[in-house]
């Protein structure tokens, strides 16, 4: 639906409508056969008037979508927090109505092609045409089939379990339990079992996913795009080809950092599990990195990768448990960071209506997300299954970043209530997390006071790199797979092989047991069944360092970037607020320039940040056989 950050494709940013030849071409071929649509959907005001001006049209769309959002958000929220056949059906129906409306509105907007429009109106119309991550075919039967598949895939992921063979249903384990094993066990075979147990959940999604992708692609083609992957990339205010070049350039900038981290990590894992299990020059077995998808590796920091075990900087895991931090306390802690930089307290309804822990009596989709339920009432929520771990603590700070973005742009017209682009939305909470320094964690009593030393700096940098640097190739590869699925380059007979080929190429990891085309390992990652575009996270992991540097400058900070925290700094908070309040009302380049003084996404801030660790890693890796075949 429209307002949950994890599923929305954030809308296209551009200056004046049809200024870009590539988009004008795509839209000129708009040929949605909408005659089958009957009347305005529930919640929509009366249909189009042929005399309607473009400004009136946009005002009507803003009004109608605001009304439709309420129903769609409510249906999707309930389906996510109470999975039953009934809520699945209700979500599919609400989504159906919403998508029918969007298709019709996109078609109607063609009336204004070639007209002189105000930049604001032109922009709203552009955003309208690309603001959906799964456009429906115009055939109502196909649209219904697609929305049912979307709800089904979401439920399959939420209900997924591993049931060890020969044991009763009480032995079944959900994703939280299996993830805990991946984070905490250091027994090779136990890890294999948990890894395989979860990945096998994907197999049942293969056929529904194949059909879903086919239908959504058809929807994208009807809108004039070559395929859905091209449509997703049309969101970034440049041609898809230009965007590919930008993303590739960023990846090449940061790849050397990843290569050093990979080399050192593999050497440490070989010490732990043996050279036979983790050979030099080969991809790392994907189940040894502390995370189900090997996407962030910080769970193996404390015992396997802490450079100086006797120096400062441990993870907050132990203290969170010992001090019995619960989900409310973790969320309050995040809120208090935001209020320290001048942001408002969370509304009372946030506390009443959010889901912070896994309910005991029903199935839910536990993957963390933030929801903009009703901007007019400031009804914002998060949905998480929090446990007292450092990972979840950082995640709740992340989610509140989305929530504060929603609150900041709640007064904008509907088409502009969005991130400058989706990477901005993902980067807000993570930027704040870069100020959650060891000093801050010590201040709130979660780690021992830091004794400043060169060793402590390297420890801290390693801990952070296992999150921020380890993630980069993962963030890059997910949509490499999907874009190729949508373009037809990867066919269903090669879904899994292509997935592992990309995981090997980018991340240098390999499955711990042989996988075949009977498996569907992409389905074991939330964003695939949920159809959430993923390049947003890759962009966010670069942007958040640019934002952090800009906020530190705004705070008047002068030292090395990795020691800066803007905790408590109202000047930094004001600059951040100004950016958030702009939402999607102007091209993201203008918004980025306002905060950072630059119009390009650029990796030099993350490179600067990790300079001390890079020097240290290069030293460690001397004489090692780095890379993988
Ligand atoms: O999905 C998320 C957030 C919700 S927007 C928890 N993230 C990605 C993931 O878990 O795969 C944050 C980091 C990357
Ligand atoms: Zn997020």
């Amino acid at each position: 639906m429209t307002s949950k950050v994890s599923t929305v494709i954030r809308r296209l940013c551009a200056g004046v409508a049809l200024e870009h030849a590539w988009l004008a071409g795509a839209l000129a071929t708009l040929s949605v056969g909408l005659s089958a649509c009957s009347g305005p959907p529930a919640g929509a005001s009366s249909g189009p008037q042929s005399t309607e001006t473009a400004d009136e049209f946009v005002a009507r769309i803003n009004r109608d979508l605001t009304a439709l959002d309420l129903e769609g958000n409510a249906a999707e929220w309930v389906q996510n927090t109470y999975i039953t056949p009934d809520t699945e059906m209700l979500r599919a129906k609400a989504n159906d109505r919403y998508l029918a409306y969007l298709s019709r509105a996109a078609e109607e907007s063609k009336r204004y092609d070639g007209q002189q429009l105000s930049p604001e109106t032109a922009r709203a119309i552009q955003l309208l045409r690309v603001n959906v991550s799964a456009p429906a075919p115009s055939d109502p039967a196909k649209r219904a089939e697609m929305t049912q598949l979307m709800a089904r895939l979401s439920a399959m992921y939420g209900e997924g379990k591993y049931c060890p063979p020969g044991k009763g249903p009480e032995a079944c384990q959900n994703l939280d339990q299996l993830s805990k094993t991946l984070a905490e066990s250091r027994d090779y075979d136990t890890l294999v079992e948990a890894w395989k147990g979860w990945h096998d959940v994907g197999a049942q999604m293969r056929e529904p996913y194949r059909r879903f992708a086919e239908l959504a692609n058809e929807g994208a083609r009807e809108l004039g795009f070559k395929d859905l992957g091209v449509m997703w990339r049309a969101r970034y205010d440049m041609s898809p080809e230009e965007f590919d070049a930008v993303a590739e350039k960023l990846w090449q900038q940061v790849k050397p950092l990843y290569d050093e981290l990979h080399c050192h990590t593999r050497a440490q894992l070989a010490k732990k599990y043996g050279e036979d299990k983790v050979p030099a020059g080969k991809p790392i077995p994907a189940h040894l990195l502390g995370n189900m998808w090997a996407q962030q590796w910080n769970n193996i920091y404390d015992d396997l990768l802490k450079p100086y075990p006797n120096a400062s900087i441990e993870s907050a895991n132990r203290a969170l448990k010992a001090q019995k931090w619960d989900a409310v306390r973790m969320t309050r802690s995040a809120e208090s960071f935001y209020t320290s930089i001048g942001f408002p307290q969370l509304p009372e309804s946030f506390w009443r209506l959010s889901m912070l822990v896994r309910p005991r009596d029903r199935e839910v989709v536990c993957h963390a997300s933030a929801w903009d339920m009703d901007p007019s009432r400031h009804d914002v929520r998060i949905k998480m299954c929090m446990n007292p771990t450092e990972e979840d603590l950082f995640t709740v700070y992340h989610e509140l970043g989305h929530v504060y973005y929603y609150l900041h742009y709640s007064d904008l017209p509907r088409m502009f209530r969005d991130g400058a682009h989706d990477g901005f939305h993902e980067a807000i909470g993570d930027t704040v997390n870069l100020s959650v320094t060891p000093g801050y964690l010590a201040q709130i009593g979660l780690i021992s006071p830091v004794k400043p030393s060169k060793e402590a700096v390297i420890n801290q940098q390693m801990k952070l790199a296992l999150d921020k640097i380890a993630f980069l190739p993962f963030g890059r590869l997910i949509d490499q797979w999907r874009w190729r699925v949508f373009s037809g380059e990867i066919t269903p007979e090669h879904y899994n092989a292509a997935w592992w080929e990309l995981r090997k190429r980018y991340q240098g990891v390999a499955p711990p047991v042989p996988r075949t085309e009977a498996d569907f390992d992409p389905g074991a990652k939330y964003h695939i069944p949920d159809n959430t575009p993923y390049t947003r996270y890759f962009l966010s992991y670069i942007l958040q360092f640019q934002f952090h540097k800009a906020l530190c400058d705004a705070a008047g900070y002068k030292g090395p970037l990795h020691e800066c925290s803007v905790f408590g700094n109202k000047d930094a908070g004001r600059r951040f607020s100004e950016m958030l309040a702009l939402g999607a009302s102007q091209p993201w380049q203008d918004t980025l320039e306002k905060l950072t003084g630059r119009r390009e996404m650029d990796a030099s801030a993350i490179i600067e940040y990790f300079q001390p660790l890079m020097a240290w890693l290069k030293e460690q890796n001397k004489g090692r056989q780095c890379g993988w075949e």
Side-chain angles (χ1 to χ4, degrees):
M1 218 14 93
T2 54
S3 311
K4 183 190 67 169
V5 149
S6 57
T7 54
V8 183
I9 180 157
R10 299 287 163 185
R11 305 168 194 102
L12 180 79
C13 300
V16 175
L18 312 189
E19 174 182 50
H20 297 295
W22 61 272
L23 183 63
L27 295 171
T29 60
L30 262 176
S31 61
V32 196
L34 288 164
S35 50
C37 281
S38 52
S45 53
S46 59
Q49 314 296 315
S50 55
T51 54
E52 197 176 33
T53 66
D55 289 353
E56 286 163 353
F57 170 74
V58 167
R60 178 166 63 83
I61 299 297
N62 278 323
R63 231 176 17 247
D64 286 353
L65 285 179
T66 299
L68 275 170
D69 285 346
L70 296 183
E71 182 198 11
N73 291 338
E76 193 171 348
W77 172 267
V78 177
Q79 185 269 332
N80 266 245
T81 57
Y82 190 0
I83 303 174
T84 72
D86 305 324
T87 58
E88 193 176 312
M89 186 258 278
L90 292 170
R91 171 187 164 172
K93 293 246 182 238
N95 197 14
D96 192 294
R97 275 193 286 279
Y98 177 78
L99 291 177
Y101 182 89
L102 268 193
S103 304
R104 200 156 54 107
E107 172 68 8
E108 287 165 11
S109 74
K110 279 191 348 188
R111 290 200 297 259
Y112 308 103
D113 287 358
Q115 289 190 12
Q116 261 311 77
L117 306 175
S118 73
E120 224 174 69
T121 298
R123 181 171 177 76
I125 289 177
Q126 270 192 333
L127 294 175
L128 170 71
R129 292 168 175 187
V130 287
N131 77 345
V132 60
S133 57
S138 49
D139 173 352
K142 286 185 175 171
R143 188 171 61 233
E145 185 185 359
M146 190 187 88
T147 55
Q148 283 161 22
L149 285 169
M150 290 174 80
R152 189 82 284 274
L153 284 162
S154 161
M156 279 177 171
Y157 187 90
E159 293 170 335
K161 280 185 189 54
Y162 164 56
C163 300
K167 300 196 179 154
E170 60 293 340
C172 294
Q173 293 188 45
N174 61 34
L175 179 58
D176 315 358
Q177 294 164 315
L178 296 165
S179 291
K180 188 167 173 350
T181 302
L182 262 288
E184 293 176 4
S185 171
R186 299 292 178 260
D187 178 68
Y188 193 93
D189 294 332
T190 305
L191 290 167
V192 173
E193 188 187 3
W195 186 95
K196 182 174 177 327
W198 179 252
H199 279 76
D200 287 351
V201 164
Q204 54 171 344
M205 297 177 197
R206 173 181 275 270
E207 176 49 26
Y209 185 80
R210 185 202 63 74
R211 179 65 179 151
F212 161 74
E214 187 171 68
L215 291 168
N217 239 347
E218 202 174 312
R221 293 209 181 96
E222 285 187 15
L223 286 171
F225 295 94
K226 213 161 126 248
D227 61 61
L228 184 55
V230 172
M231 181 171 156
W232 282 5
R233 280 169 282 174
R235 171 66 185 78
Y236 293 103
D237 196 27
M238 52 179 78
S239 74
E241 294 75 27
E242 282 168 328
F243 180 73
D244 284 345
V246 166
E248 181 58 21
K249 182 180 149 233
L250 293 172
W251 168 238
Q252 291 304 331
Q253 270 187 293
V254 295
K255 187 174 180 305
L257 279 62
Y258 182 72
D259 289 344
E260 296 293 342
L261 186 66
H262 181 280
C263 190
H264 179 67
T265 302
R266 184 173 57 197
Q268 295 305 103
L269 289 172
K271 274 190 215 159
K272 171 75 186 170
Y273 295 101
E275 287 273 353
D276 55 328
K277 296 266 198 306
V278 190
K282 299 260 193 239
I284 300 174
H287 63 314
L288 302 181
L289 291 153
N291 172 279
M292 188 59 81
W293 308 276
Q295 65 180 65
Q296 282 132 323
W297 306 345
N298 31 332
N299 286 323
I300 58 170
Y301 164 80
D302 276 329
D303 59 329
L304 299 181
L305 280 162
K306 188 173 173 183
Y308 298 100
N310 298 324
S312 280
I313 318 297
E314 73 265 31
S315 78
N317 285 326
R318 206 186 310 237
L320 285 163
K321 286 179 187 82
Q323 297 175 26
K324 298 197 168 38
W325 278 53
D326 63 10
V328 171
R329 180 145 182 216
M330 289 164 73
T331 312
R332 283 275 179 217
S333 152
E335 180 192 35
S336 72
F337 192 106
Y338 288 88
T339 54
S340 89
I341 57 170
F343 286 20
Q345 287 194 330
L346 293 167
E348 175 275 328
S349 58
F350 170 92
W351 299 100
R352 193 160 31 85
L353 298 171
S354 288
M355 186 191 96
L356 301 182
V357 294
R358 183 188 274 276
R360 274 178 290 194
D361 59 347
R362 58 186 200 265
E363 298 288 357
V364 300
V365 181
C366 266
H367 189 90
S369 51
W371 298 62
D372 196 5
M373 297 294 290
D374 180 353
S376 71
R377 292 168 191 269
H378 291 176
D379 177 355
V380 286
R381 307 178 194 172
I382 63 171
K383 173 185 68 61
M384 275 186 78
C385 298
M386 257 182 269
N387 287 299
T389 63
E390 187 180 274
E391 192 175 334
D392 283 359
L393 186 72
F394 284 126
T395 300
V396 68
Y397 279 67
H398 170 96
E399 295 307 332
L400 289 200
H402 293 306
V403 162
Y404 278 109
Y405 216 158
Y406 301 148
L407 292 172
H408 273 83
Y409 60 55
S410 65
D411 288 337
L412 293 182
R414 164 64 170 75
M415 296 314 299
F416 298 155
R417 287 201 295 264
D418 207 341
H421 69 47
D422 53 8
F424 279 62
H425 228 302
E426 294 305 334
I428 305 310
D430 280 16
T431 301
V432 161
N433 268 328
L434 291 178
S435 282
V436 176
T437 53
Y440 170 83
L441 287 174
Q443 213 174 316
I444 62 172
L446 283 177
I447 63 171
S448 328
V450 185
K451 289 193 225 82
S453 69
K454 243 179 74 199
E455 288 77 15
V457 169
I458 298 301
N459 279 353
Q460 166 57 13
Q461 290 238 308
M462 176 63 87
K463 181 164 169 251
L464 196 68
L466 293 171
D467 172 353
K468 303 298 178 192
I469 305 285
F471 180 77
L472 293 163
F474 188 79
R476 174 94 175 107
L477 77 87
I478 302 293
D479 284 346
Q480 295 283 325
W481 183 81
R482 256 190 308 208
W483 295 338
R484 283 170 210 185
V485 165
F486 294 141
S487 77
E489 194 186 321
I490 297 174
T491 55
E493 311 80 68
H494 299 107
Y495 273 170
N496 224 41
W499 174 259
W500 283 108
E501 155 42 35
L502 287 164
R503 302 237 13 222
K504 180 163 106 178
R505 187 187 324 155
Y506 281 96
Q507 283 185 288
V509 302
V513 289
R515 305 303 276 170
T516 70
E517 293 303 328
D519 303 307
F520 184 60
D521 294 324
K525 177 65 196 164
Y526 168 79
H527 302 72
I528 302 292
D530 198 61
N531 195 43
T532 307
Y534 208 82
T535 304
R536 59 183 63 188
Y537 301 108
F538 174 70
L539 301 177
S540 151
Y541 271 57
I542 308 260
L543 272 175
Q544 59 193 254
F545 287 87
Q546 284 183 267
F547 292 170
H548 182 58
K549 190 174 161 75
L551 295 186
C552 292
D553 286 347
Y557 175 80
K558 294 283 179 267
L561 191 55
H562 60 267
E563 282 173 16
C564 168
S565 170
V566 300
F567 178 58
N569 191 293
K570 303 275 190 300
D571 292 329
R574 201 168 310 114
R575 290 293 297 275
F576 215 21
S577 271
E578 283 166 14
M579 177 171 95
L580 301 187
L582 286 167
S585 64
Q586 60 181 25
W588 65 261
Q589 291 89 337
D590 294 346
T591 305
L592 183 63
E593 186 174 23
K594 190 161 183 298
L595 181 70
T596 69
R598 291 201 53 173
R599 299 181 62 79
E600 290 97 41
M601 294 184 277
D602 178 72
S604 40
I606 186 173
I607 293 169
E608 174 189 340
Y609 192 101
F610 283 109
Q611 239 164 19
L613 181 71
M614 281 308 125
W616 185 87
L617 282 173
K618 281 191 184 132
E619 210 43 51
Q620 303 300 309
N621 288 333
K622 271 192 184 147
R624 284 179 179 155
Q625 184 191 347
C626 291
W628 55 91
E629 63 187 26

